[in-house]
Amino acid sequence: MSAKFKLDRMPQALGITIAVDFDGTIVEHKFPEIGNPVPDAVYWLQKFQEAGATIILYTMRDKDYLDAALNYCIEMGIEIDYHSTNPTQAQWTTSPKCYAHLYIDDAAIGCPHIYPKYGRPYVDWEKIGPMVMSRIESWERGTFYGIREDGES
């Protein structure tokens, strides 16, 4: 793989991990090309990283198409920690599914969308961004799963 992306930002041992799709989530659908930026995607992904989140690019793109997506993220200032997999999960599972605490994907049921006049819908980051930040904050408070670490809810 020719894309050079930053892996020197070590994921926080107990930090939140977010798997993010590319087409329809970070950029508008235009595969195999790179679509136009989805409004506010870069802003929110950078905010999540500033808050300590580990970001995994979770996409069907492979080979040169994956390189193009990774390079796009680099150019836009999104530090991708990993792509396609979470290497920490090898310690406790052999499942091929990428483990994350949250998944952001335009194909997910319940994901808020923007419906352009033409073309496929894409993620509405104006809505999803604050939702995810709230989850990051609940992670930091120890209430991500609705129960604090001390057993209180």
Side-chain angles (χ1 to χ4, degrees), residues 41-51 73 76-79:
V42 170
Y43 169 80
W44 283 106
L45 288 167
Q46 290 172 339
K47 293 282 280 183
F48 304 160
Q49 289 179 309
E50 289 169 11
C73 291
M76 299 305 288
I78 304 167
E79 295 182 26

Side-chain angles (χ1 to χ4, degrees), residues 1-7 67 70-71 73-75 80:
M1 172 166 301
S2 63
K4 296 191 183 352
F5 58 103
K6 227 174 164 181
L7 285 179
D67 286 347
L70 290 167
N71 286 326
C73 291
I74 291 167
E75 291 168 11
I80 300 298

Side-chain angles (χ1 to χ4, degrees), residues 135-152:
R135 297 302 301 266
I136 291 171
E137 291 163 3
S138 72
W139 180 272
E140 293 169 352
R141 287 190 310 271
T143 59
F144 184 78
Y145 296 106
I147 300 172
R148 294 191 331 223
E149 290 178 8
D150 60 9
E152 300 294 319

Side-chain angles (χ1 to χ4, degrees), residues 31-88:
F31 182 83
E33 298 172 38
I34 302 290
N36 292 324
V38 169
D40 295 324
V42 170
Y43 169 80
W44 283 106
L45 288 167
Q46 290 172 339
K47 293 282 280 183
F48 304 160
Q49 289 179 309
E50 289 169 11
T54 295
I55 304 294
I56 298 174
L57 186 64
Y58 193 47
T59 178
M60 290 294 298
R61 287 178 174 253
D62 66 353
K63 301 178 184 171
D64 292 342
Y65 303 118
L66 175 59
D67 286 347
L70 290 167
N71 286 326
Y72 174 87
C73 291
I74 291 167
E75 291 168 11
M76 299 305 288
I78 304 167
E79 295 182 26
I80 300 298
D81 294 295
Y82 304 110
H83 67 81
S84 309
T85 188
N86 181 337
T88 64

